[in-house]
Amino acid sequence: MQYMNSTVLVLVYIIIFSLSLLENTVVIFVVFSMKNRRTSTDIYLMHLAIADLFFSLTLPFWAAYFHAGHWMFSTVMCKLVSGLQEATFYCCVFLLACISVNRYLAIVKTTQFLTQKRHLVGIVCAMVWLCAIMLSIPVILHREAFPHHFLEDTPLHICHDSLPADNIDSWRVGLRIIHHTLGFFLPFTIMMYCYGSTVCHLRNSQKQKAMWILCIVLAFIICWLPINVTEFIDNLMRAEQLMETCEQRDRIDVALHITQVMSFSHCAINPILYAFTQKKFRNELLTSLFKKGLLRRDTFFKYRVESVHSSESTRQMISSPSPQPGDFTPRGPHQLCVGFDIDEDALDIFKGNVEDFELSNIDMVQCDVCSIGSTYAKKFDTVIMNPPFGTKHNQGIDMQFLRTAISMASTAVYSLHKTSTRDHIQKKANDWKVKMEVIAELRYDLPASYKFHKKKSVDIQVDFIRFTPT
């Protein structure tokens, strides 16, 4: 440290701490405000922000340590601060790897994982925190505040691993090997594979997304590669695999401090890359501020960006229970997908899925499908739906949905129906002069959703049927 100005180092720590505290607090506030509209990415993002926030809380202690030249707190605080930093470090890099896997599954393996991943997110995050805490236990056990051998006659202490002199180097090398393997190479390999595969599946129109992925990878390399390379050289010197001189030792010590600052900056960079650069997050931030009365209505609508494509006519239809003819204009073949639902909460989930999977040219219409009439007659090539099954309390509703879907589609309708109603549906298809083809026979676990449902879930047989005009 003799070649470095400790004041500059302390100033950098304070800047990183301040930025991280502000940014991660905002991220946690926004995601927490989303409540039932959180996607899997939002959950990972919130856990990442919590980990980054806790990591940044350790920085003022290290800043005070470097400024004073000695550890001015107790052994308990030495263990607590060191353990918290170690645990949140692993938690951050593991979550970054999880986010890359989540992006990969959402874009490359959507159909295989779409119905399962939300049930796994909570378990994955819990496992990440558990593994991070377990990896921090050795540091907590061996880190203590004790007098330095140069300061034995003074009350000044350092916060360091308390081990016999003949074991300290091997302990430090072993700990760094774990850091290199689990804290850098493993997450980096996962990120490179997942983001590389994701980029290969992006369309030419998604160049901006490819640039965002490139920035993520570069940021990870810039933050973590220098400290890993420097620590690796330091390990070789301590293992006497490289020649060590006093001048080289001083240079390595200076490089360790500089690269450590670079690695610490990740807690301020992550919120920018993963949250503030995303349209969805910025919109949610504006919405949260608007609902809390911290943002004026005109300012809210001025800066809010529609991340899901929606024309002015469609926004009018969303608030209208019965869209009028002429309100909707198709944008050419294969250029637009429209989701219909009467439930506003379902549309919120739909919008979250669209943004989570980074789809484009999507419209939403809130209305009663059965009251559409001829508004959308033959406006779409294909209609895909999962209608109510039309038994007991809503008998016949499935046929109303199917009749509407057939009137809307010019090519085909794909729909799910109970196998037990196959003969009835076939009769209706003959009456409507459409060809019916059972593509697949499935089993469907239907959860209880009404008070009159006596069982938690019922396993029923379902047909996936294709209807085409004859």
Side-chain angles (χ1 to χ4, degrees), residues 32 36 83 105 107 187 262 376 432 466:
F32 184 78
N36 296 329
L105 294 172
I107 296 176
M262 294 173 65
Y376 295 97
W432 297 333
R466 184 177 193 263

Side-chain angles (χ1 to χ4, degrees), residues 67-216:
H67 180 68
H70 65 92
W71 184 256
M72 59 186 70
F73 309 101
S74 65
T75 293
V76 173
M77 287 302 298
C78 175
K79 290 179 177 290
L80 180 62
V81 172
S82 300
L84 182 61
Q85 185 182 66
E86 190 79 358
T88 51
F89 154 72
Y90 281 113
C91 196
C92 287
V93 294
F94 289 166
L95 285 170
L96 292 179
C98 289
I99 291 174
S100 69
V101 173
N102 187 64
R103 294 289 81 211
Y104 169 78
L105 294 172
I107 296 176
V108 181
K109 301 290 184 180
T110 304
T111 56
Q112 293 93 321
F113 203 68
L114 179 61
T115 59
Q116 304 177 31
K117 69 172 192 168
R118 281 184 176 77
H119 302 289
L120 295 174
V121 172
I123 298 175
V124 170
C125 290
M127 291 299 297
V128 165
W129 281 100
L130 180 61
C131 291
I133 291 172
M134 291 179 64
L135 288 169
S136 69
I137 290 176
V139 172
I140 297 174
L141 293 176
H142 293 94
R143 194 66 59 90
E144 291 184 7
F146 57 90
H148 194 277
H149 63 277
F150 288 129
L151 306 171
E152 290 180 351
D153 297 331
T154 70
L156 303 181
H157 289 66
I158 62 171
C159 179
H160 205 272
D161 297 315
S162 180
L163 291 167
D166 55 343
N167 293 333
I168 189 68
D169 283 344
S170 58
W171 162 260
R172 182 179 297 178
V173 170
L175 203 63
R176 285 179 176 177
I177 289 175
I178 298 175
H179 265 249
H180 296 326
T181 306
L182 299 181
F184 180 74
F185 291 110
L186 179 61
F188 182 67
T189 302
I190 293 173
M191 291 175 66
M192 287 298 293
Y193 174 79
C194 291
Y195 284 134
S197 301
T198 301
V199 169
C200 292
H201 281 76
L202 293 177
R203 298 186 296 273
N204 292 332
S205 59
Q206 295 179 300
K207 292 181 180 179
Q208 184 178 1
K209 188 63 185 176
M211 289 299 298
W212 176 74
I213 290 175
L214 178 62
C215 289
I216 285 177

Side-chain angles (χ1 to χ4, degrees), residues 279-309:
K279 292 179 182 178
K280 176 187 175 182
F281 179 83
R282 296 198 300 270
N283 287 341
E284 292 291 350
L285 173 59
L286 292 172
T287 301
S288 299
L289 294 176
F290 177 68
K291 288 181 178 179
K292 297 292 183 181
L294 301 175
L295 197 66
R296 294 173 54 186
R297 186 179 185 86
D298 55 344
T299 306
F300 169 70
F301 285 107
K302 178 180 179 181
Y303 291 103
R304 192 175 190 277
V305 179
E306 289 293 338
S307 54
V308 178
H309 177 82

Side-chain angles (χ1 to χ4, degrees), residues 24-34 285 288-289 292:
N24 288 294
T25 301
V26 170
V27 172
I28 296 170
F29 163 73
V30 171
V31 178
F32 184 78
S33 300
M34 294 167 67
L285 173 59
S288 299
L289 294 176
K292 297 292 183 181

